[in-house]
Amino acid sequence: MEYILIFITAIFVNNIVLSQFLGICPFLGVSKKVSTASGMGLAVTFVLTLATIVTYLIQKFVLDPNGLAYLQTIAFILVIAALVQMVEIILKKVSPSLYQALGVFLPLITTNCCILGVAILVIQKDYNLLQGVVYAVSTALGFYLAMVIFAGLREQLAMTKVPKAMNGMPIALVTAALLSMAFMGFSGVDGGLKILFGLD
């Protein structure tokens, strides 16, 4: 039941983009089309899950036993950068069209604070490896969900008449704010689930 709570909370209640405001750069930059937003969401899901596993193992078996916890951020950034390089090489071979569509935003996964943030949050929340993986996957799914919904809204907006002053990024920011407010409706769900499952 604890894993279900982590899963639901990470996707809806504490959505990494809409509640914690991490990963805003790709959220705004790669959300003009649902196809590219979906591709970016999948790439982030893959990197986030792998990065969480690797960074957790490095923290628990290298940094903590040797008293090197202060090197956490540097070590995590290096791991994430290496994983993104690997994803970039794989995408170039497997799906050149998606690689072209993502363009400059694929290397930006390296500096996506969402990935580093989740890796650090897993350690701070004192999760075990399985809880960390569940949290990473559900956070990535929350990111993917937010990206696809936002891209769908932006595609609809592109076909509607918008005042000149609001064209482009202004209307996108207003839409993002409204979407964030919509997700605020899920706040309190985690408390209800804790009571329901007797975890409080």
Side-chain angles (χ1 to χ4, degrees):
M1 293 304 173
E2 193 181 339
Y3 296 105
I4 295 168
L5 185 65
I6 291 169
F7 185 78
I8 292 169
T9 304
I11 293 176
F12 300 108
V13 183
N14 294 324
N15 187 287
I16 199 80
V17 182
L18 301 171
S19 295
Q20 299 184 52
F21 309 111
L22 293 172
I24 296 289
C25 178
F27 178 69
L28 292 172
V30 198
S31 58
K32 286 181 184 172
K33 288 183 181 175
V34 172
S35 55
T36 51
S38 180
M40 183 66 163
L42 290 172
V44 166
T45 302
F46 179 70
V47 172
L48 189 56
T49 308
L50 263 181
T52 302
I53 294 167
V54 176
T55 53
Y56 180 89
L57 294 173
I58 286 170
Q59 181 75 35
K60 296 296 176 186
F61 296 106
V62 178
L63 300 180
D64 286 349
N66 296 306
L68 300 171
Y70 61 91
L71 292 174
Q72 183 191 63
T73 307
I74 295 168
F76 286 13
I77 289 170
L78 289 172
V79 167
I80 292 163
L83 287 171
V84 171
Q85 270 311 112
M86 191 178 77
V87 169
E88 203 171 340
I89 292 163
I90 291 166
L91 268 183
K92 205 172 185 178
K93 297 274 185 203
V94 176
S95 180
S97 58
L98 181 59
Y99 177 78
Q100 287 292 331
L102 291 172
V104 73
F105 293 102
L106 189 60
L108 276 178
I109 296 177
T110 310
T111 56
N112 188 344
C113 54
C114 160
I115 294 167
L116 180 62
V118 170
I120 291 170
L121 279 170
V122 165
I123 304 302
Q124 283 180 350
K125 288 174 184 273
D126 204 27
Y127 285 151
N128 60 39
L129 185 58
L130 185 57
Q131 287 172 326
V133 170
V134 169
Y135 180 71
V137 170
S138 45
T139 300
L141 289 174
F143 179 83
Y144 178 83
L145 179 71
M147 284 280 288
V148 171
I149 292 171
F150 189 55
L153 291 170
R154 285 186 79 176
E155 278 188 3
Q156 288 294 317
L157 280 168
M159 294 185 285
T160 57
K161 203 173 180 183
V162 178
K164 234 178 196 176
M166 294 296 288
N167 257 336
M169 196 49 72
I171 195 69
L173 290 171
V174 170
T175 308
L178 291 171
L179 186 60
S180 182
M181 285 174 69
F183 267 70
M184 278 177 67
F186 293 110
S187 61
V189 169
D190 56 334
L193 288 170
K194 278 180 184 175
I195 293 164
L196 184 69
F197 294 136
L199 295 170
D200 217 10

